[in-house]
Amino acid sequence: MHIQQAKKQIKNAIVAYNTKDKYGRYKIPVSKQRPVFLVGAPGIGKTAIMEQIAQELNLGFVSYSMTHHTRQSALGLPFIVQKKFGEDIYSASEYTMSEILASVYDEMEKTGKKEGILFLDEINCVSETLAPSMLQFLQYKTFGRHKVPEGWIVVTAGNPPEFNDSVREFDIAMLDRLKKIEVEPDFEIWKEFALQTNVHPVILSYLSIKTQYFYRITTTIDGKSFVTARAWDDLSQMISLYEENELIVDFDLISQYIQDEQIAKDFSNYYDLYAKYKSDYQVEKILLGKENLEIIDRARNAKLDERLSLISLLLSSIEEDTKHILILEQAIRQIIPELKGEIEEYAMFIDSRIAFYKKECQKTDTQEHIDIYYEMVNLYELLLPIVQKENSYDSIKVQLQMELMELKVLDKEIQKKLENVFVFFEKSFGSGQEMLILVSELTVRPSCSKYIYSHGCSKYYQYNKQLLFEDKKNDLLDRIDALNLLEFEKED
């Protein structure tokens, strides 16, 4: 199965394990809660989906790689205690709490969450001295004399033997205590993750054309060559930072992540070509509706690979704009109710909110929330000197109305860009497969689809007559007029 199917199976198992009876007892006793054993090639996203599950179910999360653990670090260190048996006193060995279980209790203390996930990666690579103890742990959830706290579900993961020389084959006794789930790489599923996490558009464009290079491991006379989902994700971040700092992205950088020389060279050539397309097609002019006939003719006569690259270039710009306006809107939506209450000293209140949201930026792992909190801090910092001069809600209202006017201008610009892209496609390709790809991509890209749903786009609806996209979104979004964010505009 692919990684999202595996995620659903694991999530369902955790929900089932955490089900309690009317007396508050877990319906499946701890000894019967089979740990999940997630098996898949390296870099496929096993750890990532476990973090997502913990967030979605509001559970604590502790992750450990078992490759570096010895028997002592996993089970705890021995110490001597005096015990009385009958009339006699004897010296006996006991064990300190293991590092792993101590981390679980630390997480409970830090987050206040009594239920969680203990994720043990590379479980089939444990040392020879630790292996016998793992059987007891998987059945009874104990390391030495110390138990995993009730409500903490054990999930394990490992690589198949062909990917890791350190893998120990589990025997039937071990496997019979696990829920084994095997995962295969799947580009279309990874693409959903990539779009949500802002993987660089050049990588998405390249892999959409050459899907066979998404994940590959081969053995040659020189050793193993490989490229994984993790490698593409990590390379994406580095490309973005290189571009931000005006550093050269070349084969030398790419080959550090894409450890298959053929694919690294191919992608390096494509990266250069992608940059050339952006310049040759004058993407900004297309978005502004100022393209010339020469550009239209080139697009019309281009090969499919070039057309797909052009679609990616146009959509990456639209996506950046829609993401920006959605974040600004959400920031204003969250600020308004905070400021509408009965507040005696606005400056003191706003100063406290700035400090609060700065801390939230540090605490959250979700980039979308970080971006929203960052914009809320910016808005509050904009309002602070205003209320220091005039401690009134009216002064706040005037400034927020100005922010809204800027949003309206930005919205008109985005609406025009979307229309210009559709018009360019009509002139270049008509209503053929390129138009279908454009509409499909707008649908699957989170910020684009959310923006179109709340703000509208007549050309989109014209070419997406079935509106399956809207049906899928009805249960996720309230249809709102995104331009009338501030109800207080209508107040006296």
Side-chain angles (χ1 to χ4, degrees), residues 294-431:
E294 182 181 345
I295 295 299
I296 293 172
D297 286 339
R298 172 169 178 173
R300 185 182 295 128
N301 296 314
K303 293 181 179 179
L304 180 60
D305 287 5
E306 188 171 326
R307 295 182 187 186
L308 292 174
S309 299
L310 176 58
I311 292 173
S312 174
L313 284 164
L314 291 167
L315 286 175
S316 63
S317 180
I318 295 288
E319 189 170 29
E320 187 174 335
D321 288 343
T322 55
K323 179 183 175 184
H324 178 59
I325 192 172
L326 290 170
I327 287 170
L328 289 175
E329 288 173 354
Q330 188 60 36
I332 292 177
R333 283 195 190 95
Q334 290 188 216
I335 278 179
I336 292 168
E338 293 185 2
L339 293 171
K340 271 193 166 183
E342 295 183 6
I343 300 171
E344 292 184 8
E345 181 56 56
Y346 278 103
M348 185 181 298
F349 174 77
I350 288 175
D351 198 48
S352 69
R353 299 316 286 167
I354 290 171
F356 172 78
Y357 285 115
K358 281 183 176 179
K359 287 182 180 179
E360 289 299 300
C361 284
Q362 299 296 322
K363 286 166 54 178
T364 184
D365 294 326
T366 307
Q367 187 60 48
E368 181 183 3
H369 289 158
I370 292 173
D371 292 338
I372 292 170
Y373 295 150
Y374 176 79
E375 290 300 334
M376 292 178 74
V377 169
N378 285 344
L379 283 168
Y380 272 131
E381 288 180 339
L382 183 66
L383 293 171
L384 185 57
I386 294 172
V387 296
Q388 285 173 337
K389 292 180 180 178
E390 182 183 348
N391 183 48
S392 72
Y393 180 70
D394 287 340
S395 62
I396 291 173
K397 179 181 172 182
V398 169
Q399 183 60 48
L400 289 178
Q401 286 172 333
M402 291 173 62
E403 295 297 316
L404 178 60
M405 291 303 297
E406 291 184 16
L407 277 179
K408 288 181 178 179
V409 172
L410 180 58
D411 177 66
K412 286 180 180 179
E413 291 175 357
I414 296 173
Q415 287 283 330
K416 190 61 179 173
K417 285 182 179 181
L418 275 168
E419 183 180 352
N420 290 337
V421 169
F422 275 99
V423 170
F424 174 77
F425 270 62
E426 289 170 341
K427 292 177 180 178
S428 303
F429 313 119
S431 57

Side-chain angles (χ1 to χ4, degrees), residues 20-36:
K20 300 175 182 176
D21 62 20
K22 62 182 179 181
Y23 302 108
R25 299 173 302 191
Y26 292 99
K27 287 192 171 184
I28 300 180
V30 171
S31 62
K32 295 293 184 179
Q33 292 180 4
R34 288 192 177 200
V36 173

